[in-house]
Amino acid sequence: MDSKNINQNDKFHLRWTLKIKFITFITLLIVVIMIFNGMFIIIREKRLLMAKIENESTALVKSLAIPVTNVFLYKEVGLLHEEELLENYISQLMEEKYPILYAMILDNENRVLVHSDLKKFGSIYNDPISENALRSWQTITQKYHDKNWGDVLDASAPLAISSKRWGTLRIGFSLEPIQARIQRLYWEILGLTLGIVLLAFFIVNILSRKLTAPLSILITEMKKTSVEQERQPLAIHSSDEIGYLACAFEDMRERLINSHRELKQAQDQLIRAEKLASIGRLSSGVAHEINNPLNGMQNCIRMILEEPENREQTGRYLELIDEGLQKIESVVQKLLDYSRKDPIMYEKVDVNHSLKKMLELLEYKFSKQNINIELQLDDNLPLIRGDAHLLEQAFLNLMINAYDAMPEGGTLTIRTKQTTRKRRKFVTVVIQDTGEGIPESELTRIFDPFYTTKDVGEGTGLGLSVCQGIIENHQGEIFVKSKAGQGAVFTIFLPVKSK
């Protein structure tokens, strides 16, 4: 029973242990949190840097727009005649530390009056950035992408006083420093995330070991648990759910052991009751086996008393009396061997020998009822490990059932051989009769306790149930094939190596 449960447990393979699930969950949780946190930091930092450069670019273009506007105003009123002053402003601006890509002064038709690139002088800009700057009477910033410079922030301010406008001042700022800063921040966050994940993995691994160690102990004890032997209490003393589970398991194991002990006692009582019932069924045959030698011994004694001086006759009759006593002793000894209540002992058993012993007890009953015995025993049959008395009781019960099934006589065939099933070696015992058979509707119930098809008083209904219990306790199996009027075939498989 226990070995079957253990084998079933061994078929279950752990793929995702609690430890792996715990570590994976915590690690993924940290990664997700760090990803969202990193994204938030990067977006926030990018917005802050953009706001900073927009403010700085707006302040710069505003501050430069004032002197440039004054130049146009002074030229208009005739206070200034030098044309190079605007170019000086632009050239000085380009020498600043700001990441400035270009600076230009445009008239009201977007024609270049002054440009940091002298080649652009006189050019007319018709692009949307220039159009928006021309239309606006406020200082504005616009972002666009250039195939040579990448992302560019264009800051523009109108060169105007009141409703009088002379043109537009535009300065282009490179956004590459911001992108480089964001890129560095990305790698810093990635490195920080990996570091935190590794640290968390190490810490979680230690914590998970402490968490799952009691569970591992519990699993090991579950696999080793046997209802046939006591075990030491679990070395789990935690005050959490695992400790509660360990206590519940201890209680369950103790109840199982007690239940198994009670069940074993009940089973032993059933086996004993069935054995006594079998002895009663054997009584008529045993009485005949004893009465025949006794009658012969009485005749011998009578003849000796009639001629006490005949020493030759007395010696011959004493030998016959001795033979009769030996036969009676043999019959009684066999019956005592079968009926005695010995503790269960698993040892090497010769199945052929056990079958022959039980046939000897039934020999008279079979011959009296005209039942022929056909033995087809494998002489090379291996020994099995089991309790000989229990197996003999199972064999005897099946033979008695065959006897009852053939009231008008018949043939009882007993075969043994070695077979292989499910990659294991078995000793196979087949007990076949030519009796009344069993209806197919009854086949599923014949191994039920107290189920019998015999008349009241002729059977306990425990024979086949006890047989099945004995065979299964030897890790074997018993099967039956039968049809009404066609006899029955009982097949027993006993493992060569068991217990």
Side-chain angles (χ1 to χ4, degrees):
M1 175 179 176
D2 301 311
S3 60
K4 290 182 180 179
N5 293 335
I6 292 175
N7 290 336
Q8 291 175 356
N9 291 335
D10 290 341
K11 293 179 181 178
F12 180 79
H13 299 288
L14 288 175
R15 295 182 180 177
W16 284 87
T17 62
L18 286 177
K19 179 180 178 181
I20 294 177
K21 289 180 179 180
F22 183 67
I23 293 175
T24 303
F25 174 76
I26 297 298
T27 302
L28 290 177
L29 180 62
I30 293 175
V31 169
V32 171
I33 292 175
M34 291 301 297
I35 288 175
F36 280 100
N37 189 48
M39 291 175 61
F40 173 77
I41 293 174
I42 290 174
I43 293 173
R44 180 174 176 273
E45 187 70 13
K46 189 174 182 179
R47 287 179 179 176
L48 291 175
L49 291 174
M50 283 297 299
K52 179 180 179 182
I53 194 171
E54 285 179 0
N55 292 334
E56 290 179 352
S57 62
T58 300
L60 181 60
V61 76
K62 279 183 177 181
S63 63
L64 186 57
I66 294 173
V68 172
T69 302
N70 290 336
V71 171
F72 281 103
L73 179 60
Y74 294 156
K75 285 178 63 178
E76 187 168 326
V77 298
L79 297 178
L80 183 64
H81 301 284
E82 295 181 2
E83 298 289 341
E84 296 180 355
L85 187 56
L86 294 178
E87 296 178 357
N88 291 335
Y89 284 148
I90 296 300
S91 62
Q92 290 177 5
L93 178 64
M94 297 300 296
E95 294 175 0
E96 296 291 337
K97 295 181 179 179
Y98 292 103
I100 298 175
L101 298 173
Y102 60 82
M104 68 180 79
I105 299 174
L106 308 175
D107 62 13
N108 290 329
E109 296 179 356
N110 273 341
R111 181 181 290 106
V112 176
L113 299 178
V114 181
H115 201 291
S116 56
D117 186 357
L118 299 179
K119 296 178 182 180
K120 302 289 186 179
F121 178 76
S123 301
I124 298 177
Y125 285 89
N126 297 319
D127 57 276
I129 300 296
S130 301
E131 294 294 334
N132 290 335
L134 180 62
R135 285 194 298 268
S136 177
W137 284 75
Q138 301 291 331
T139 300
I140 62 172
T141 57
Q142 302 178 80
K143 183 181 176 182
Y144 69 95
H145 183 78
D146 184 85
K147 62 180 181 179
N148 295 322
W149 292 328
D151 290 335
V152 179
L153 181 67
D154 184 274
S156 61
L159 302 175
I161 296 178
S162 186
S163 60
K164 177 64 176 179
R165 181 168 182 166
W166 291 276
T168 306
L169 172 63
R170 292 177 56 192
I171 302 175
F173 297 87
S174 174
L175 296 179
E176 288 298 325
I178 294 180
Q179 293 179 346
R181 170 60 182 156
I182 296 300
Q183 190 73 15
R184 288 195 304 271
L185 184 61
Y186 170 80
W187 288 110
E188 290 173 359
I189 292 176
L190 180 61
L192 180 62
T193 300
L194 291 177
I196 293 177
V197 168
L198 291 176
L199 180 61
F201 180 83
F202 178 74
I203 296 174
V204 170
N205 187 37
I206 296 176
L207 294 177
S208 63
R209 286 183 181 178
K210 293 184 178 180
L211 179 64
T212 58
L215 291 177
S216 299
I217 296 174
L218 188 58
I219 291 173
T220 302
E221 286 297 322
M222 285 181 176
K223 288 184 177 181
K224 293 181 178 179
T225 293
S226 172
V227 293
E228 296 180 353
Q229 60 182 1
E230 300 284 347
R231 293 193 64 84
Q232 295 296 326
L234 292 174
I236 299 176
H237 307 290
S238 56
S239 303
D240 52 12
E241 290 83 354
I242 297 177
Y244 179 79
L245 179 62
C247 292
F249 173 72
E250 284 283 5
D251 293 340
M252 181 192 68
R253 182 166 64 178
E254 184 176 354
R255 290 197 300 270
L256 283 175
I257 292 174
N258 292 334
S259 299
H260 177 74
R261 189 182 297 114
E262 294 173 359
L263 182 62
K264 196 69 175 175
Q265 292 174 354
Q267 187 180 31
D268 291 342
Q269 292 174 1
L270 287 178
I271 292 174
R272 183 65 179 169
E274 180 59 25
K275 181 178 286 189
L276 292 175
S278 300
I279 293 173
R281 303 291 302 279
L282 293 172
S283 58
S284 60
V286 171
H288 176 81
E289 292 291 332
I290 293 176
N291 284 334
N292 283 345
L294 283 177
N295 291 332
M297 291 166 60
Q298 286 177 347
N299 290 332
C300 290
I301 292 172
R302 188 179 303 111
M303 296 300 297
I304 291 173
L305 291 176
E306 291 178 358
E307 300 182 36
E309 300 85 4
N310 191 341
R311 292 181 174 274
E312 181 180 353
Q313 177 181 273
T314 300
R316 186 170 65 254
Y317 284 153
L318 286 176
E319 289 179 359
L320 292 175
I321 292 172
D322 183 63
E323 289 179 4
L325 288 173
Q326 289 180 4
K327 188 172 183 181
I328 292 173
E329 181 185 10
S330 176
V331 172
V332 172
Q333 188 61 45
K334 289 177 183 177
L335 188 61
L336 289 175
D337 287 343
Y338 174 74
S339 61
R340 68 184 180 184
K341 183 180 180 182
D342 290 337
I344 297 176
M345 293 181 61
Y346 288 93
E347 55 191 1
K348 292 182 179 179
V349 178
D350 185 343
V351 174
N352 288 342
H353 178 68
S354 295
L355 288 169
K356 291 177 181 178
K357 281 179 60 178
M358 296 302 100
L359 281 173
E360 289 176 0
L361 290 175
L362 295 169
E363 185 177 359
Y364 172 74
K365 294 176 71 70
F366 284 145
S367 62
K368 186 178 180 181
Q369 200 160 293
N370 296 322
I371 296 176
N372 297 322
I373 306 297
E374 290 187 5
L375 290 180
Q376 302 174 12
L377 305 182
D378 186 354
D379 294 334
N380 298 319
L381 201 67
L383 300 178
I384 68 168
R385 186 168 178 78
D387 186 284
H389 289 95
L390 290 179
L391 290 174
E392 288 169 2
Q393 180 175 352
F395 297 152
L396 182 66
N397 285 344
L398 293 176
M399 293 177 188
I400 291 176
N401 282 348
Y403 169 84
D404 293 337
M406 297 183 287
E408 303 299 328
T411 301
L412 174 64
T413 303
I414 299 177
R415 294 190 298 270
T416 60
K417 60 181 178 178
Q418 182 177 351
T419 56
T420 301
R421 300 175 70 243
K422 302 175 183 177
R423 299 181 180 180
R424 296 180 63 191
K425 292 183 178 180
F426 289 83
V427 166
T428 302
V429 180
V430 179
I431 299 178
Q432 180 178 359
D433 64 65
T434 58
E436 301 169 349
I438 306 170
E440 293 185 16
S441 59
E442 306 291 334
L443 288 178
T444 58
R445 302 176 57 194
I446 62 171
F447 291 110
D448 293 345
F450 305 108
Y451 176 78
T452 180
T453 57
K454 300 174 184 177
D455 296 336
V456 177
E458 293 187 6
T460 63
L462 296 174
L464 291 178
S465 176
V466 170
C467 284
Q468 186 183 47
I470 292 173
I471 300 304
E472 289 182 351
N473 281 341
H474 286 76
Q475 301 177 15
E477 294 178 287
I478 181 171
F479 301 97
V480 59
K481 290 183 179 180
S482 180
K483 289 184 179 180
Q486 298 183 17
V489 180
F490 286 86
T491 304
I492 298 172
F493 295 97
L494 295 169
V496 175
K497 294 181 179 180
S498 65
K499 293 292 181 181

